Amino acid sequence: MGQLNRDDKPDEFAAKYTPRTSSLLILPKSATNHSFQHLYFVLTGIPGLEKEYYWMALPLGFIYAIAILGNGIIISTIKSEASLHIPMYYFLCTLALADLGLALCTLPSMLGIFWFDYKVIVFDACLVQMYFIHTFSVIKSGVLVAMAFDRVVAIQNPLRYGTILTSGEIAAEYAPRTSSLLTLPKSATNHSFFQHLHFVLTGIPGLEKEYYWMALPLGFIYAIAILGNGIIISTIKSEASLHIPMYYFLCMLALADLGLALCTLPSMLGIFWFDYKVIAFDACLVQMYFIHTFSAIESGVLVAMAFDRVVAIRNPLRYGTILTSGVVCRIGAAILTRAVCVVFPVPFLIKRLPFYRSNILSHSFCLHQDIMRLACASTRVNSLYGLIAVIFTKGSDSLSILLSYAFILSTVLSIASGEGRLKALNTCVSHICAVLIFYVPLIGVSVIHRFGKHLSPLTHALMANAYLLVPPVLNPIVYTVKTKEIRRKIIQKVKETQHPHC
């Protein structure tokens, strides 16, 4: 079919088959509808340096940390120092805000490419990022013009500088508008349906004057948590020799820690950097949901890691056949599904409650028990469901881990040689540390909430911060120090970077 017969001339052959071919190439009318769009775009990093992305991730993260920390320090310094409340520094603060916005706009896609080799961006997300990048760029350009005008006035009219560039007129113009927006309609005072528009977060009671100096170490702690877990994830992803169940579970743990850190990052830095303690009601519920979800995921991953150690010690010869890639994926999916489904009703149970008295929370972030205590109605259903959720997740998980180590100990004690016992137990040290790092602060927070009402607010705040900050910071350090395979791969990558031609 379609071959040139001896009797056909070339022109006759073309005339014979061209209509059929062209009819195949004609698009249906619906396909020419210009409303069709790609579902996503593919981003490009730095062409030709794809193999170096792993090592470019660390300095890139450091650059973003400097950008965020540097501009945050400038903003908080100008905000907290009354002597800097003059037009020149107001414009500098605006410039720092624009730079901070630009950095945060590109942060997700840049780190997605260089840390996780993830280059896909959804069409709508791309439009949103494009909008904010150009908006902040235009803002920055305008601020530079304003700063130039400020210098013109300061140099040409130094005596009238304070009268020309005032802030009182702007405040007088916008204060009535702002106050009118904040005035509640009469119907909103109906206590049976009213909810606060926002909550007020609490930092560390009694140390408010030290927030300015606590901002830098706090930013450093978050940088360690994000960079440390990011390095572990990218190392396991890039090294084929680490593609075994033990490191897959470690990668899941690092992802959960990364999620926990990113959940609390905005409110914590808002308080300690900018003294901004207000959080919208719905935003508080979203933060609460993700904090409890990632916490449940981490608890489930610790159980999976304990099961991994049981199989590795009790059935080392069948380890690869029991924990296949498919089994690991199903375990991960089960952990995620359980966490999402168990925590999903909690925001809706909170949403139905009325709040019309105090709106001051006890911590720097939103937790279920903390929001629940502010409700002006019975919280029996919330308390009961919260108890069931805790028993189903962390309660059953802790018992499963204890049972797993009972099996491990019985197997280890049956090993004849002392060296063999020590070697078997040594493979569990990192996991035991991770379990203690997660459950000790969790138990401490639970005990204080139940029985420590007489303790100072400072104790409550420190324990809650330790509960969410300690695991993301210490887990990557523990696994890097105690797991020689991870440590060896990181050192190997560093040497390859330092001597690329060797």
Side-chain angles (χ1 to χ4, degrees):
M1 180 178 177
Q3 293 180 349
L4 183 63
N5 296 327
R6 294 179 180 178
D7 298 333
D8 290 338
K9 295 181 180 180
D11 293 340
E12 294 175 356
F13 180 83
K16 183 178 180 181
Y17 289 100
T18 298
R20 301 184 188 179
T21 309
S22 60
S23 65
L24 293 174
L25 296 176
I26 295 173
L27 293 173
K29 291 182 179 180
S30 59
T32 60
N33 187 345
H34 291 170
S35 63
F36 179 74
Q37 294 172 338
H38 288 298
L39 295 178
Y40 60 87
F41 289 116
V42 178
L43 301 170
T44 303
I46 301 178
L49 295 179
E50 287 81 1
K51 294 182 179 180
E52 307 300 327
Y53 282 0
Y54 179 85
W55 296 110
M56 294 170 70
L58 187 60
L60 184 68
F62 185 67
I63 288 169
Y64 271 106
I66 290 175
I68 296 171
L69 285 170
N71 288 292
I73 289 171
I74 287 175
I75 295 166
S76 59
T77 301
I78 294 172
K79 185 178 183 297
S80 61
E81 291 296 326
S83 60
L84 301 179
H85 292 176
I86 59 174
M88 173 183 174
Y89 295 112
Y90 285 145
F91 290 133
L92 176 58
C93 186
T94 311
L95 182 69
L97 282 169
D99 283 333
L100 193 61
L102 272 175
L104 293 175
C105 283
T106 58
L107 177 65
S109 57
M110 290 284 280
L111 296 190
I113 293 171
F114 288 92
W115 282 23
F116 311 115
D117 195 27
Y118 187 80
K119 301 179 180 181
V120 175
I121 184 170
V122 178
F123 184 87
D124 291 334
C126 187
L127 296 185
V128 171
Q129 186 187 53
M130 175 194 71
Y131 171 78
F132 281 109
I133 288 174
H134 290 297
T135 299
F136 281 116
S137 181
V138 171
I139 291 172
K140 186 170 182 178
S141 178
V143 172
L144 291 173
V145 173
M147 295 175 81
F149 176 68
D150 170 84
R151 292 300 85 204
V152 169
V153 175
I155 293 172
Q156 290 197 345
N157 296 282
L159 299 179
R160 296 181 59 205
Y161 179 76
T163 57
I164 295 174
L165 292 174
T166 63
S167 57
E169 293 180 1
I170 299 173
E173 180 180 354
Y174 287 99
R177 302 180 189 179
T178 308
S179 60
S180 65
L181 291 173
L182 294 176
T183 303
L184 293 173
K186 292 182 180 179
S187 60
T189 58
N190 185 345
H191 289 175
S192 60
F193 299 101
F194 180 74
Q195 289 177 339
H196 288 300
L197 296 176
H198 61 265
F199 287 115
V200 178
L201 300 169
T202 303
I204 300 180
L207 297 178
E208 288 80 2
K209 293 182 180 179
E210 308 299 327
Y211 284 0
Y212 179 82
W213 299 110
M214 294 170 69
L216 190 60
L218 184 68
F220 184 67
I221 287 171
Y222 272 107
I224 291 175
I226 294 170
L227 287 173
N229 288 292
I231 288 171
I232 285 179
I233 294 166
S234 57
T235 301
I236 294 172
K237 183 178 183 298
S238 62
E239 290 296 328
S241 60
L242 301 180
H243 292 176
I244 57 175
M246 174 183 173
Y247 296 111
Y248 285 145
F249 291 132
L250 176 56
C251 189
M252 294 179 195
L253 183 69
L255 282 169
D257 283 331
L258 197 59
L260 268 179
L262 293 176
C263 282
T264 59
L265 177 66
S267 57
M268 290 282 280
L269 296 190
I271 293 171
F272 289 93
W273 282 19
F274 312 118
D275 196 27
Y276 187 80
K277 301 179 180 180
V278 176
I279 183 170
F281 184 87
D282 290 333
C284 188
L285 295 185
V286 170
Q287 186 187 51
M288 175 197 71
Y289 173 78
F290 281 108
I291 287 174
H292 290 296
T293 298
F294 280 115
S295 181
I297 289 172
E298 181 157 353
S299 179
V301 172
L302 289 173
V303 175
M305 296 175 84
F307 176 67
D308 170 83
R309 292 299 84 206
V310 170
V311 175
I313 292 173
R314 289 177 68 90
N315 295 285
L317 298 179
R318 296 182 59 204
Y319 179 77
T321 56
I322 295 174
L323 287 175
T324 61
S325 297
V327 171
V328 172
C329 288
R330 285 193 287 273
I331 291 173
I335 292 169
L336 179 62
T337 303
R338 183 191 70 161
V340 170
C341 293
V342 167
V343 184
F344 186 75
V346 174
F348 298 99
L349 292 174
I350 290 289
K351 189 81 172 176
R352 70 184 181 86
L353 297 173
F355 296 87
Y356 52 83
R357 292 175 188 162
S358 175
N359 65 338
I360 300 175
L361 297 173
S362 305
H363 306 304
S364 306
F365 34 79
C366 300
L367 296 176
H368 177 235
Q369 59 269 32
D370 199 20
I371 301 174
M372 187 174 60
R373 70 178 179 81
L374 299 179
C376 301
S378 174
T379 58
R380 184 175 299 174
V381 174
N382 295 65
S383 299
L384 181 61
Y385 184 80
L387 180 62
I388 293 171
V390 168
I391 292 173
F392 182 61
T393 54
K394 300 180 175 82
S396 61
D397 290 347
S398 58
L399 290 176
S400 299
I401 291 170
L402 287 174
L403 187 63
S404 299
Y405 275 98
F407 284 123
I408 289 172
L409 282 175
S410 66
T411 304
V412 168
L413 292 176
S414 65
I415 298 175
S417 66
E419 185 180 350
R421 293 178 187 176
L422 188 62
K423 186 177 179 180
L425 287 175
N426 193 46
T427 62
C428 303
V429 171
S430 298
H431 180 253
I432 292 171
C433 290
V435 170
L436 293 176
I437 287 169
F438 179 75
Y439 279 102
V440 169
L442 173 63
I443 294 169
V445 168
S446 302
V447 169
I448 284 178
H449 266 285
R450 292 288 179 185
F451 309 108
K453 299 187 186 299
H454 63 283
L455 297 174
S456 67
L458 178 62
T459 306
H460 285 264
L462 290 177
M463 284 302 299
N465 289 332
Y467 162 56
L468 292 182
L469 284 179
V470 168
V473 173
L474 291 187
N475 278 339
I477 295 174
V478 167
Y479 273 96
T480 302
V481 171
K482 295 299 295 181
T483 309
K484 62 181 181 180
E485 288 82 3
I486 296 283
R487 188 172 65 250
R488 187 188 304 129
K489 292 298 179 184
I490 292 174
I491 294 172
Q492 180 182 341
K493 289 288 185 181
V494 172
K495 290 180 178 179
E496 288 176 1
T497 306
Q498 292 176 345
H499 307 287
H501 302 295
C502 292

